[in-house]
Amino acid sequence: MTAVKAEVRVHRRIAEIGRNAWDACAAPRGDPFVSFDFLDALEESGCAVERTGWAPHHLSVEDEAGRVAAVMPLYLKSHSQGEYVFDHSWADAYERAGGRYYPKLQCSAPFSPVTGPRLIVRPDIDADDGRSALLGGALTLCDRLKASSLHVTFPKADEWAWMGERGMLRRQDQQYHWFNNGYASFDDFLAALSSNRRKTIRRERRDAQAGLEIVGLTGDQLTEDHWDAFFGFYMDTGGRKWGRPYLNRAFYSLLGQRMADKVLLILARRPGGPWIAGALNLIGDDCLYGRHWGCNEDVPFLHFELCYYQAIEHGIRLGLPRVEAGAQGQHKIARGYLPSPVYSAHWIADPALREPVARYLEREREAVSAEMEMLTEEYSPFREER
């Protein structure tokens, strides 16, 4: 294995590191959300920048030959929006007690509650060496910037365990993921379900599809007209759910220009009419990631069709082992998406806050694990023999 230097560099734009150097570490992981193009599009479009409370402070470590050996997507945050791992109560309690919670450091793929690599080490570099350099650099930066804390959200399970062994507080939550158990078609998937669930899904699909044209677009099939339509859906949903959508129209154009082959945009319309609904997915090496959805016409079960059933169909077609349909939503269980753990790791500088948070997280992990087990046992739509 190639050795790494002790020096850690901080970059205020991912462009300072460069596509080739960043993706030499990130691309082998097969995760579109930590690719150079995705993160750079967030910065170039003005979505993940200091003005929006996401000031890039990406870290890099070099090997002995001076090549980038490990990277960490890192942001100095002035709020806790767009993270999907909620620490608002920690911030409120600390500031009521006279502390200063913001700024904090956030290692994540902004606005994306998807599990992926966070301490990203080039494949020919010893993983422990690269991770140790990055984590040490992040903690040093935390001290220099007088940040209250470091948060690593939605890391891989092995990273989460590794960070816990090095003293970071471990948090566990759950999402609902679909797993491809060797299905060759959607009907194969349906055959694995109980009779009642199979009938219900067929009825929902029939009602949702009635009188509609539904298409899945990727690569050079995508046009600016498609993005115009979808952005309208995104703004409507975002405005109703959280008040101020995080992404702007420029981001979607950049996504289409740079990552079209990683995009699966599912749109629906009445034949010959305008688009009335859409769902955006990104394609990884081992997962189809459902991200945003919206509509301007209320069609029964269309949300389930575009976001869940179409995703399963395309996941099977692409030979992917799983589909992640975003955060929250116990209603996903009945559609074949089962409770699955997701993780985060936290370092808090002040023991007065760190110690009560540590006790809380220990109880929370136990509660989340128990709930996942209960939900799977009580509500799984699969036949018992499976």
Side-chain angles (χ1 to χ4, degrees), residues 238-296:
R240 285 186 286 107
K241 289 179 68 175
W242 59 82
R244 185 173 65 106
Y246 302 125
L247 302 174
N248 58 29
R249 178 64 180 82
F251 168 77
Y252 288 104
S253 285
L254 291 171
L255 186 70
Q257 292 166 18
R258 300 178 182 181
M259 299 180 64
D261 62 329
K262 298 295 185 183
V263 170
L264 173 64
L265 183 61
I266 301 171
L267 294 174
R269 66 183 174 187
R270 303 191 185 285
W275 302 110
I276 64 170
L280 174 66
N281 304 266
L282 291 189
I283 304 168
D285 283 3
D286 62 357
C287 184
L288 184 67
Y289 301 94
R291 286 305 304 115
H292 306 130
W293 135 272
C295 65
N296 59 19

Coordinates of all heavy atoms in Angstrom, one line a residue, residues 238-296:
G238 N -41.3 21.0 -2.6 CA -40.4 21.6 -1.6 C -41.1 22.8 -0.9 O -41.0 22.9 0.3
G239 N -41.9 23.6 -1.6 CA -42.5 24.7 -0.9 C -43.6 24.2 0.1 O -43.8 24.9 1.1
R240 N -44.2 23.1 -0.2 CA -45.2 22.6 0.7 C -44.6 21.8 1.9 O -45.2 21.8 3.0 CB -46.2 21.7 0.0 CG -47.2 22.5 -0.9 CD -48.3 21.6 -1.5 NE -47.7 20.8 -2.6 CZ -47.5 19.5 -2.6 NH1 -47.7 18.8 -1.5 NH2 -47.0 18.8 -3.6
K241 N -43.5 21.2 1.7 CA -42.9 20.4 2.7 C -42.0 21.1 3.6 O -42.0 20.9 4.8 CB -42.2 19.2 2.1 CG -43.1 18.2 1.4 CD -42.3 17.0 0.8 CE -41.6 16.2 1.8 NZ -41.0 15.0 1.2
W242 N -41.1 22.0 3.1 CA -40.2 22.6 4.0 C -40.0 24.1 3.7 O -39.0 24.7 4.3 CB -38.8 21.9 4.0 CG -38.1 21.8 2.7 CD1 -37.4 22.7 2.1 CD2 -38.1 20.7 1.8 NE1 -36.9 22.3 0.9 CE2 -37.3 21.0 0.7 CE3 -38.7 19.4 1.8 CZ2 -37.1 20.1 -0.4 CZ3 -38.5 18.5 0.8 CH2 -37.7 18.9 -0.3
G243 N -40.8 24.7 3.0 CA -40.9 26.1 2.9 C -39.9 26.7 1.8 O -40.4 27.5 0.9
R244 N -38.7 26.3 1.8 CA -37.7 26.9 0.8 C -36.9 25.8 0.2 O -36.0 25.2 0.9 CB -36.8 27.9 1.5 CG -35.9 28.6 0.5 CD -35.1 29.7 1.3 NE -34.2 29.1 2.3 CZ -32.9 29.1 2.2 NH1 -32.3 29.6 1.1 NH2 -32.1 28.6 3.1
P245 N -37.2 25.4 -1.0 CA -36.4 24.3 -1.6 C -34.9 24.6 -1.6 O -34.5 25.8 -1.8 CB -37.0 24.2 -3.0 CG -38.4 24.7 -2.9 CD -38.3 25.8 -1.8
Y246 N -34.1 23.6 -1.5 CA -32.7 23.8 -1.4 C -32.0 23.9 -2.7 O -30.9 24.5 -2.8 CB -32.1 22.5 -0.7 CG -32.6 22.3 0.7 CD1 -33.2 21.0 1.0 CD2 -32.6 23.3 1.7 CE1 -33.7 20.8 2.3 CE2 -33.2 23.0 2.9 CZ -33.7 21.8 3.2 OH -34.2 21.5 4.5
L247 N -32.6 23.4 -3.8 CA -31.9 23.3 -5.1 C -32.5 24.3 -6.0 O -33.7 24.6 -5.9 CB -32.0 21.9 -5.7 CG -31.3 20.8 -4.8 CD1 -31.6 19.5 -5.4 CD2 -29.8 21.1 -4.6
N248 N -31.7 24.9 -7.0 CA -32.2 25.8 -7.9 C -32.3 25.3 -9.3 O -31.8 24.2 -9.6 CB -31.5 27.2 -7.8 CG -30.0 27.0 -8.1 OD1 -29.6 26.0 -8.8 ND2 -29.1 27.8 -7.5
R249 N -32.8 26.0 -10.2 CA -33.0 25.5 -11.6 C -31.6 25.3 -12.3 O -31.4 24.3 -13.0 CB -33.8 26.5 -12.4 CG -34.0 26.2 -13.9 CD -34.7 24.9 -14.1 NE -34.9 24.5 -15.5 CZ -34.0 23.9 -16.2 NH1 -32.8 23.5 -15.6 NH2 -34.2 23.6 -17.5
A250 N -30.6 26.1 -11.9 CA -29.3 26.0 -12.6 C -28.7 24.6 -12.2 O -27.9 24.0 -13.0 CB -28.4 27.1 -12.1
F251 N -28.9 24.1 -11.0 CA -28.4 22.9 -10.6 C -28.8 21.7 -11.5 O -28.0 20.9 -11.9 CB -28.7 22.5 -9.1 CG -28.4 21.1 -8.8 CD1 -27.1 20.7 -8.5 CD2 -29.4 20.1 -8.7 CE1 -26.8 19.4 -8.2 CE2 -29.1 18.8 -8.4 CZ -27.8 18.5 -8.1
Y252 N -30.1 21.7 -11.8 CA -30.6 20.6 -12.7 C -30.1 20.7 -14.1 O -29.8 19.6 -14.7 CB -32.1 20.7 -12.7 CG -32.7 20.2 -11.3 CD1 -33.3 21.1 -10.5 CD2 -32.7 18.9 -11.0 CE1 -33.8 20.7 -9.2 CE2 -33.2 18.5 -9.8 CZ -33.8 19.4 -8.9 OH -34.3 19.0 -7.7
S253 N -29.8 21.9 -14.6 CA -29.2 21.9 -15.9 C -27.7 21.4 -15.8 O -27.3 20.6 -16.7 CB -29.1 23.4 -16.4 OG -30.4 23.8 -16.8
L254 N -27.0 21.7 -14.8 CA -25.7 21.2 -14.6 C -25.7 19.7 -14.4 O -24.9 18.9 -15.0 CB -25.0 21.8 -13.4 CG -24.6 23.3 -13.6 CD1 -24.1 23.9 -12.3 CD2 -23.5 23.5 -14.7
L255 N -26.7 19.2 -13.7 CA -26.8 17.7 -13.5 C -27.0 17.1 -14.8 O -26.4 16.0 -15.1 CB -28.0 17.4 -12.6 CG -28.2 16.0 -12.1 CD1 -27.1 15.5 -11.2 CD2 -29.5 15.8 -11.4
G256 N -27.9 17.6 -15.7 CA -28.2 17.1 -17.0 C -27.0 17.1 -17.9 O -26.7 16.2 -18.7
Q257 N -26.2 18.2 -17.8 CA -25.0 18.4 -18.7 C -23.9 17.4 -18.3 O -23.2 16.9 -19.2 CB -24.5 19.8 -18.6 CG -25.4 20.8 -19.2 CD -25.1 22.2 -18.8 OE1 -23.9 22.5 -18.3 NE2 -26.0 23.2 -19.0
R258 N -23.7 17.2 -17.0 CA -22.5 16.5 -16.5 C -22.8 15.0 -16.1 O -21.8 14.2 -16.1 CB -21.9 17.2 -15.3 CG -21.5 18.7 -15.7 CD -21.0 19.4 -14.5 NE -20.6 20.8 -14.8 CZ -20.1 21.6 -13.9 NH1 -19.9 21.2 -12.6 NH2 -19.8 22.9 -14.2
M259 N -24.0 14.7 -15.7 CA -24.3 13.4 -15.2 C -25.5 12.7 -15.8 O -26.2 11.9 -15.1 CB -24.4 13.5 -13.7 CG -23.2 14.1 -12.9 SD -23.5 14.2 -11.1 CE -23.7 12.4 -10.7
A260 N -25.8 13.1 -17.0 CA -27.0 12.6 -17.7 C -27.1 11.0 -17.6 O -28.2 10.5 -17.5 CB -27.1 13.1 -19.1
D261 N -25.9 10.4 -17.8 CA -26.0 8.9 -17.8 C -26.2 8.3 -16.4 O -26.5 7.1 -16.2 CB -24.6 8.4 -18.3 CG -23.4 8.8 -17.5 OD1 -23.5 9.9 -16.9 OD2 -22.4 8.0 -17.4
K262 N -26.2 9.2 -15.4 CA -26.5 8.7 -14.0 C -27.9 9.1 -13.6 O -28.3 8.9 -12.4 CB -25.4 9.3 -13.0 CG -24.0 8.9 -13.2 CD -23.8 7.4 -13.0 CE -22.4 7.0 -13.1 NZ -22.2 5.5 -13.0
V263 N -28.6 9.8 -14.4 CA -29.9 10.3 -14.1 C -31.0 9.4 -14.7 O -30.9 8.9 -15.9 CB -30.1 11.7 -14.7 CG1 -31.6 12.2 -14.6 CG2 -29.2 12.7 -14.0
L264 N -32.0 9.1 -14.0 CA -33.2 8.4 -14.5 C -34.4 9.3 -14.0 O -34.7 9.4 -12.9 CB -33.4 7.0 -13.9 CG -34.7 6.4 -14.3 CD1 -34.9 6.2 -15.8 CD2 -34.9 5.0 -13.5
L265 N -34.9 10.0 -15.0 CA -36.1 11.0 -14.7 C -37.3 10.3 -15.3 O -37.5 10.0 -16.5 CB -35.8 12.3 -15.4 CG -36.9 13.4 -15.2 CD1 -37.0 13.7 -13.7 CD2 -36.6 14.6 -16.0
I266 N -38.3 10.0 -14.4 CA -39.5 9.4 -14.7 C -40.6 10.5 -14.7 O -40.8 11.1 -13.7 CB -39.9 8.3 -13.7 CG1 -38.7 7.2 -13.7 CG2 -41.2 7.6 -14.1 CD1 -38.9 6.2 -12.6
L267 N -41.3 10.6 -15.9 CA -42.3 11.7 -16.1 C -43.6 11.0 -16.5 O -43.6 10.0 -17.2 CB -41.8 12.7 -17.1 CG -40.6 13.5 -16.8 CD1 -40.2 14.4 -18.0 CD2 -40.9 14.4 -15.6
A268 N -44.7 11.7 -16.2 CA -46.0 11.2 -16.6 C -46.8 12.4 -17.2 O -46.7 13.5 -16.8 CB -46.7 10.7 -15.3
R269 N -47.6 12.0 -18.2 CA -48.5 13.0 -18.8 C -49.7 12.2 -19.5 O -49.6 11.0 -19.7 CB -47.8 13.8 -19.8 CG -47.3 13.0 -21.0 CD -46.5 13.9 -22.0 NE -45.9 13.2 -23.1 CZ -45.1 13.7 -24.0 NH1 -44.8 14.9 -23.9 NH2 -44.6 12.9 -24.9
R270 N -50.7 13.0 -19.8 CA -51.8 12.5 -20.6 C -51.3 12.6 -22.1 O -50.6 13.6 -22.4 CB -53.1 13.2 -20.4 CG -53.5 13.2 -18.9 CD -54.9 13.7 -18.7 NE -55.1 13.7 -17.2 CZ -55.4 12.7 -16.5 NH1 -55.4 11.5 -17.0 NH2 -55.5 12.8 -15.2
P271 N -51.6 11.6 -22.9 CA -51.0 11.6 -24.2 C -51.3 12.9 -25.0 O -52.4 13.4 -25.0 CB -51.8 10.4 -24.9 CG -52.1 9.5 -23.8 CD -52.4 10.4 -22.6
G272 N -50.2 13.5 -25.4 CA -50.2 14.7 -26.2 C -50.3 16.0 -25.3 O -50.2 17.1 -25.8
G273 N -50.4 15.8 -24.0 CA -50.5 16.9 -23.1 C -49.1 17.3 -22.4 O -48.1 16.6 -22.7
P274 N -49.2 18.2 -21.5 CA -47.9 18.6 -20.8 C -47.7 17.6 -19.7 O -48.6 16.8 -19.3 CB -48.3 20.0 -20.2 CG -49.8 19.9 -20.0 CD -50.3 19.1 -21.2
W275 N -46.4 17.6 -19.2 CA -46.1 16.7 -18.1 C -46.8 17.1 -16.9 O -46.9 18.3 -16.6 CB -44.6 16.7 -17.9 CG -43.7 16.3 -19.0 CD1 -43.0 17.1 -19.8 CD2 -43.6 15.0 -19.6 NE1 -42.3 16.4 -20.8 CE2 -42.8 15.1 -20.7 CE3 -44.2 13.8 -19.3 CZ2 -42.4 14.0 -21.5 CZ3 -43.9 12.7 -20.1 CH2 -43.0 12.8 -21.2
I276 N -47.3 16.1 -16.1 CA -48.1 16.5 -14.9 C -47.4 16.0 -13.6 O -47.8 16.4 -12.5 CB -49.5 15.9 -14.9 CG1 -49.5 14.3 -15.0 CG2 -50.3 16.4 -16.1 CD1 -50.8 13.7 -14.8
A277 N -46.4 15.1 -13.7 CA -45.7 14.6 -12.5 C -44.3 14.1 -12.9 O -44.1 13.7 -14.1 CB -46.5 13.6 -11.8
G278 N -43.4 14.0 -11.9 CA -42.1 13.5 -12.2 C -41.4 13.0 -11.0 O -41.7 13.5 -9.9
A279 N -40.5 12.1 -11.1 CA -39.6 11.6 -10.0 C -38.2 11.5 -10.5 O -38.0 10.9 -11.6 CB -40.1 10.2 -9.5
L280 N -37.3 12.0 -9.8 CA -35.9 12.0 -10.2 C -35.1 10.9 -9.4 O -35.3 10.8 -8.2 CB -35.2 13.4 -9.8 CG -33.7 13.5 -10.0 CD1 -33.4 13.3 -11.5 CD2 -33.2 14.8 -9.5
N281 N -34.4 10.1 -10.1 CA -33.5 9.1 -9.5 C -32.1 9.3 -10.0 O -31.9 9.7 -11.2 CB -34.0 7.7 -9.9 CG -35.4 7.4 -9.6 OD1 -35.7 6.9 -8.5 ND2 -36.3 7.8 -10.5
L282 N -31.1 8.9 -9.2 CA -29.7 8.8 -9.6 C -29.3 7.4 -9.6 O -29.7 6.6 -8.7 CB -28.8 9.7 -8.8 CG -29.0 11.2 -8.9 CD1 -27.8 11.9 -8.2 CD2 -29.0 11.6 -10.4
I283 N -28.5 7.0 -10.6 CA -28.1 5.6 -10.7 C -26.7 5.4 -10.2 O -25.7 6.0 -10.7 CB -28.1 5.2 -12.2 CG1 -29.5 5.5 -12.8 CG2 -27.8 3.7 -12.4 CD1 -29.6 5.4 -14.3
G284 N -26.5 4.5 -9.2 CA -25.2 4.2 -8.7 C -24.8 2.8 -9.2 O -25.6 2.1 -9.9
D285 N -23.6 2.4 -8.8 CA -23.2 1.1 -9.3 C -24.0 -0.1 -8.6 O -24.1 -1.2 -9.2 CB -21.7 0.9 -8.9 CG -20.8 1.6 -9.9 OD1 -21.3 2.3 -10.8 OD2 -19.5 1.6 -9.7
D286 N -24.5 0.1 -7.4 CA -25.2 -0.9 -6.8 C -26.6 -0.5 -6.2 O -27.2 -1.2 -5.4 CB -24.4 -1.5 -5.6 CG -24.0 -0.5 -4.5 OD1 -24.4 0.7 -4.7 OD2 -23.4 -0.9 -3.6
C287 N -27.1 0.7 -6.6 CA -28.3 1.2 -6.1 C -29.0 2.2 -7.0 O -28.2 2.9 -7.7 CB -28.1 1.8 -4.7 SG -29.5 2.4 -3.8
L288 N -30.3 2.2 -7.1 CA -31.0 3.3 -7.7 C -31.6 4.2 -6.5 O -32.3 3.7 -5.7 CB -32.2 2.7 -8.5 CG -33.0 3.8 -9.3 CD1 -32.2 4.4 -10.4 CD2 -34.3 3.2 -9.9
Y289 N -31.2 5.4 -6.6 CA -31.5 6.4 -5.5 C -32.7 7.3 -5.9 O -32.5 8.1 -6.8 CB -30.3 7.2 -5.2 CG -29.1 6.5 -4.7 CD1 -28.1 6.1 -5.7 CD2 -28.9 6.1 -3.4 CE1 -26.9 5.5 -5.3 CE2 -27.7 5.5 -3.0 CZ -26.8 5.1 -3.9 OH -25.6 4.5 -3.6
G290 N -33.8 7.1 -5.3 CA -34.9 8.0 -5.5 C -34.7 9.3 -4.7 O -34.5 9.2 -3.5
R291 N -34.8 10.4 -5.4 CA -34.5 11.7 -4.7 C -35.7 12.6 -4.6 O -36.3 12.9 -3.6 CB -33.3 12.4 -5.4 CG -32.0 11.7 -5.1 CD -31.7 11.6 -3.6 NE -31.8 12.9 -2.9 CZ -32.7 13.2 -2.0 NH1 -33.6 12.3 -1.6 NH2 -32.7 14.4 -1.4
H292 N -36.2 13.2 -5.7 CA -37.2 14.2 -5.7 C -38.4 13.8 -6.5 O -38.3 13.1 -7.5 CB -36.7 15.6 -6.2 CG -35.4 16.0 -5.5 ND1 -34.3 16.4 -6.1 CD2 -35.1 16.0 -4.2 CE1 -33.4 16.7 -5.3 NE2 -33.8 16.5 -4.1
W293 N -39.6 14.3 -6.1 CA -40.8 14.0 -6.7 C -41.7 15.2 -6.7 O -41.6 16.1 -5.8 CB -41.5 12.8 -6.0 CG -43.0 13.0 -5.8 CD1 -43.6 13.6 -4.7 CD2 -44.1 12.7 -6.6 NE1 -44.9 13.6 -4.8 CE2 -45.3 13.0 -6.0 CE3 -44.2 12.1 -7.9 CZ2 -46.5 12.8 -6.5 CZ3 -45.4 11.8 -8.4 CH2 -46.6 12.2 -7.8
G294 N -42.6 15.4 -7.6 CA -43.6 16.4 -7.6 C -44.7 16.2 -8.6 O -44.5 15.4 -9.6
C295 N -45.8 17.0 -8.5 CA -46.9 16.8 -9.5 C -47.7 18.1 -9.5 O -47.6 18.9 -8.5 CB -47.8 15.7 -9.2 SG -48.7 15.8 -7.6
N296 N -48.4 18.4 -10.5 CA -49.4 19.5 -10.6 C -50.8 19.1 -10.8 O -51.6 19.9 -11.1 CB -48.9 20.6 -11.6 CG -48.8 20.0 -13.0 OD1 -49.4 19.0 -13.3 ND2 -48.1 20.7 -13.9

